[in-house]
Amino acid sequence: MSTTTLADAEQSFNVARALSERDAQLEAGEKALAQAKFEMLQFESILAKFKKR
């Protein structure tokens, strides 16, 4: 059986916190990407309408 020291617990907490922050950054990036894709589709639609004229 292994014992967890205070230093080990603190290190684990810091790693978990860093991972949580990275997950939040990734989620924000994915949201921004989805928004950019949506806007690109809107512009493509507008462009297609102009090309039909």
Side-chain angles (χ1 to χ4, degrees):
M1 182 161 84
S2 66
T3 58
T4 302
T5 64
L6 182 58
D8 291 337
E10 185 176 359
Q11 184 179 12
S12 294
F13 175 77
N14 289 335
V15 169
R17 183 175 53 195
L19 287 174
S20 178
E21 290 171 1
R22 293 292 179 169
D23 284 346
Q25 290 172 346
L26 179 59
E27 187 176 332
E30 289 173 338
K31 185 177 179 180
L33 177 60
Q35 180 65 33
K37 287 180 178 181
F38 175 74
E39 291 172 4
M40 185 176 71
L41 287 173
Q42 286 181 316
F43 289 131
E44 288 176 346
S45 175
I46 292 167
L47 181 61
K49 288 177 185 177
F50 279 121
K51 286 183 177 182
K52 283 184 178 181
R53 294 180 180 188

